[in-house]
Amino acid sequence: MKALKIFFAVIYVRLVTRSQGHIVGELITDFYKESRINLNIIIDLMEPPNSEFQDIVATIQHPKLLINFNHTEMRHLYKSFNMQCLTIAVIDEEILNSTMALMDLLLWKKHFTPIIIWYETKHEDIQMLYELFGRCWQQGYTDVVVWWQNTLYTFKPYPTITIVPVNDLWHWRNFSLSMNFQQYPIRVIVVDFPPRCFSFHNRQGQLIRTGYYYKLIENFIRFYNGSIQHDFKDMWSNNFIQGILESVRNNRFDFVASRFRVSEQYIRSDTIDLGNVYLMVPSSNEVHQSLYILLSFNQQLWIITGVLLIIFAMLIYFVRYRSCMESGNLVKSFIAALKVIIFLTPEGFEYRTLLNYQLKCIFFFTGLFVTYLYSCSLYSIYSLRIYEPELKLLQDIEKLNLKFLVHAEDLSLYDTLENIPPIIFERFISDNNTALFVNRGKLNMVYIYSGFGDIIQYLLFQQIYLKRPIATYIPEPFYTQPTFIPMLHRMPWVDHFNRYLGYVKQSGILNKFIADSQMDGIMSVDIQFFREEQQHRSLVLATFQYGFLLWFMGLFGAFMVFLCEIYQRNILKKFARTVFNKAQ
């Protein structure tokens, strides 16, 4: 009888173990059907190996990376593999610390990927499961399912760790994708760096925090029902970088509402923008009004005038002279065509014939069109003003007699840049960091300044109501650095935040945040709208100096022709007298 009981106990244990493997194997198989997994990371440090776990691993058809020993030369996997991976680990009480440490090393920056843990314990103490989920939460693993004591479990970290049993894959995935912070405090480092993050007090004395970096973070936290803990850092102080690094070492922040240089000491969100850095330069000067008379003759008008002049000259030449059987005079034909162009009626068409009537109609409408085309062009130039061409390339700053004022900490970065015109390095000057921000903020264009595209647009927003802007920027980027939001390592919501960031960019909400930050800059008096210094400007005599010059040149030319004609007439008279006298 005793032997029979032992036999049935062994059969029961085998059936239970098979059912365990069957349930976990089904979970993995269903997961492959629903997800696009490119790699399976299998971690098994147990000695001896778990046979049931080995059977499940053997049935996996996808690429596998089997790790069954802990070595000091293990490296992070994110540099070699993408994020489409599934981690499957078997753990017992003895290898819990070593396995979790190995997972922390291998899954660095991949902590938000799904994890399945086969957990074996000698005792059915729920506190051991709490300890395991506590370690997962410390390392940033929230998309975790644990097979323990014939049941699948996951956990809810907010506001405290709560163990939740799951039934199948759908229940697990639905639970992992739904996130509710339940007013869990999210620590955000805020700075004073418009338009990304800044604050001001409104008329009611309330503190308003704004900036499109801050709005991105705040909207994410509010959407998932979290609360914000603010930690202000003065980014213009000398120990700002050291303070941030200390916060990183002590895990005292979750987000930073500004951008820093790329570093492995913190994780970066997906790219917000390409991050082009431009040079801000003064707007081009206005062309002197005395040149407007010449500028009205643009290329198109010159072509129209030249073509019409040739056509009308040849038409008058053949019609007026050849039809009258007279000897042709091409010069007179061109003078008559020129009269048509300047809206004067040429001589020689006094006869009332159908041909003359048709020609006069053509001359009338053509002269009217060309004359009014020039007049309208001239009047529009006087109304809108004409300016010199804007700078398009970095090399064009050689046309400016200005120095390039840079921040002292940026000099080391600029020295590493390549393919930069040498003229830029020749213009470098690092005099006063305070003067840089004051002059750039007030658009005092006594220097050339640099800045990211969002900062340049924020500063140029001040001149939106000016007829002619004070400053502009060169469209060719100075250099490029992708913009992102720094986050602490092991943050469990990195994947959620990147997904949210993609939705915000695609829907245009990010552009709305940027536009709001510009208007908030006006409300905070950090920037202000500029006004026109001179509303009305009347024409002066200097406006027509080139017109008078052309007029005097025409009079002088006519007078010289008149003198030549008198001289030619006298010569012809003398020649005629000489011939007449010789004939007598």
Side-chain angles (χ1 to χ4, degrees), residues 380-398:
S380 63
I381 289 176
Y382 278 129
S383 302
L384 301 177
R385 313 298 179 190
I386 294 296
Y387 300 88
E388 297 176 357
E390 298 284 0
L391 304 183
K392 300 297 183 182
L393 303 174
L394 296 176
Q395 187 66 37
D396 293 342
I397 69 168
E398 62 185 7

Side-chain angles (χ1 to χ4, degrees), residues 20 23-24 27 87 89-92 96 100 103 114-121 126 128-137 141-155 163-167 172:
Q20 291 179 7
I23 293 175
V24 177
L27 180 69
T87 302
V90 56
I91 302 176
D92 61 11
L96 174 63
M100 295 302 294
M103 290 173 61
I115 301 174
I116 299 176
I117 297 178
W118 182 303
Y119 192 30
E120 294 186 355
T121 59
I126 194 66
M128 304 180 69
L129 194 58
Y130 273 103
E131 180 183 355
L132 175 62
F133 283 129
R135 293 289 298 271
C136 291
W137 172 243
Y141 310 145
T142 55
D143 194 3
V144 180
V145 64
V146 176
W147 173 256
W148 181 71
Q149 299 296 332
N150 303 334
T151 308
L152 292 172
Y153 296 95
T154 186
F155 76 103
I163 297 177
V164 180
V166 295
N167 301 324
W172 170 35

Side-chain angles (χ1 to χ4, degrees), residues 405-418:
L405 184 60
V406 299
H407 197 278
E409 294 185 359
D410 291 335
L411 285 175
S412 58
L413 172 64
Y414 293 161
D415 291 339
T416 62
L417 298 179
E418 299 179 356

Side-chain angles (χ1 to χ4, degrees), residues 292-306 308 341-343 364-382:
Y292 284 2
I293 296 178
L294 300 179
L295 293 175
S296 301
F297 280 97
N298 52 27
Q299 184 179 4
Q300 293 79 8
L301 191 57
W302 278 112
I303 294 175
I304 293 174
T305 304
L308 290 177
I341 297 298
I342 63 178
F343 206 30
F364 172 78
F365 287 110
T366 303
L368 184 67
F369 169 75
V370 175
T371 303
Y372 274 89
L373 178 62
Y374 171 78
S375 301
C376 293
S377 177
L378 180 61
Y379 294 154
S380 63
I381 289 176
Y382 278 129

Side-chain angles (χ1 to χ4, degrees), residues 5 10 27 54 60 155 183 203 220 231 273 298 331 392 406 496 515 518 534 572:
K5 288 182 179 179
V10 171
L27 180 69
Q54 294 294 326
I60 298 177
F155 76 103
Q183 295 302 307
R203 291 182 298 176
F220 171 76
D231 183 13
D273 185 50
N298 52 27
V331 176
K392 300 297 183 182
V406 299
H496 287 79
Q518 295 174 352
Q534 189 175 2
L572 290 176

Side-chain angles (χ1 to χ4, degrees), residues 45-267:
L45 303 182
M46 295 186 64
E47 291 292 344
N50 187 297
S51 58
E52 291 81 10
F53 184 79
Q54 294 294 326
D55 294 339
I56 294 175
V57 171
T59 60
I60 298 177
Q61 302 298 325
H62 293 72
K64 292 176 287 188
L65 178 62
L66 181 60
I67 301 173
N68 52 16
F69 66 95
N70 194 353
H71 197 274
T72 55
E73 295 184 359
M74 292 287 185
R75 293 292 182 265
H76 306 317
L77 297 180
Y78 77 93
K79 297 181 179 179
S80 304
F81 304 98
N82 61 17
M83 298 299 176
Q84 300 297 327
C85 65
L86 171 65
T87 302
I88 306 173
V90 56
I91 302 176
D92 61 11
E93 302 175 54
E94 297 179 356
I95 61 172
L96 174 63
N97 294 331
S98 58
T99 304
M100 295 302 294
L102 179 61
M103 290 173 61
D104 187 41
L105 176 66
L106 297 176
L107 301 182
W108 188 256
K109 294 187 180 182
K110 298 166 73 74
H111 56 273
F112 49 84
T113 56
I115 301 174
I116 299 176
I117 297 178
W118 182 303
Y119 192 30
E120 294 186 355
T121 59
K122 299 178 182 178
H123 308 286
E124 297 184 6
D125 187 2
I126 194 66
Q127 192 62 34
M128 304 180 69
L129 194 58
Y130 273 103
E131 180 183 355
L132 175 62
F133 283 129
R135 293 289 298 271
C136 291
W137 172 243
Q138 291 178 2
Q139 297 181 193
Y141 310 145
T142 55
D143 194 3
V144 180
V145 64
V146 176
W147 173 256
W148 181 71
Q149 299 296 332
N150 303 334
T151 308
L152 292 172
Y153 296 95
T154 186
F155 76 103
K156 181 174 61 175
Y158 314 108
T160 57
I161 294 179
T162 305
I163 297 177
V164 180
V166 295
N167 301 324
D168 49 22
L169 174 68
W170 181 88
H171 191 190
W172 170 35
R173 301 310 297 158
N174 185 58
F175 185 83
S176 63
L177 292 177
S178 61
M179 187 168 62
N180 186 350
F181 289 148
Q182 297 186 10
Q183 295 302 307
Y184 184 82
I186 309 297
R187 302 160 299 177
V188 180
I189 292 181
V190 294
V191 296
D192 186 14
F193 188 37
R196 298 174 180 174
C197 180
F198 59 104
S199 60
F200 64 95
H201 289 85
N202 60 9
R203 291 182 298 176
Q204 289 76 30
Q206 299 174 342
L207 179 64
I208 306 298
R209 297 189 185 275
T210 184
Y212 75 94
Y213 266 51
Y214 179 79
K215 287 294 184 181
L216 285 172
I217 299 173
E218 181 190 38
N219 192 58
F220 171 76
I221 297 174
R222 301 299 186 201
F223 180 79
Y224 287 108
N225 191 25
S227 61
I228 305 178
Q229 282 186 357
H230 299 99
D231 183 13
F232 177 78
K233 300 288 185 181
D234 184 10
M235 67 177 304
W236 308 116
S237 62
N238 295 329
N239 58 351
F240 171 69
I241 300 298
Q242 290 76 6
I244 292 294
L245 296 180
E246 182 180 355
S247 298
V248 170
R249 288 190 294 268
N250 299 327
N251 296 336
R252 291 205 301 259
F253 79 95
D254 296 313
F255 290 99
V256 180
S258 186
R259 179 200 173 279
F260 305 121
R261 294 180 182 175
V262 175
S263 174
E264 290 295 325
Q265 300 190 20
Y266 53 80
I267 197 170

Side-chain angles (χ1 to χ4, degrees), residues 528-547:
Q528 58 183 346
F529 287 131
F530 292 154
R531 297 179 179 272
E532 292 285 350
E533 297 181 358
Q534 189 175 2
Q535 297 294 336
H536 303 286
R537 182 171 57 176
S538 59
L539 300 179
V540 294
L541 186 61
T543 305
F544 306 101
Q545 65 181 17
Y546 278 99

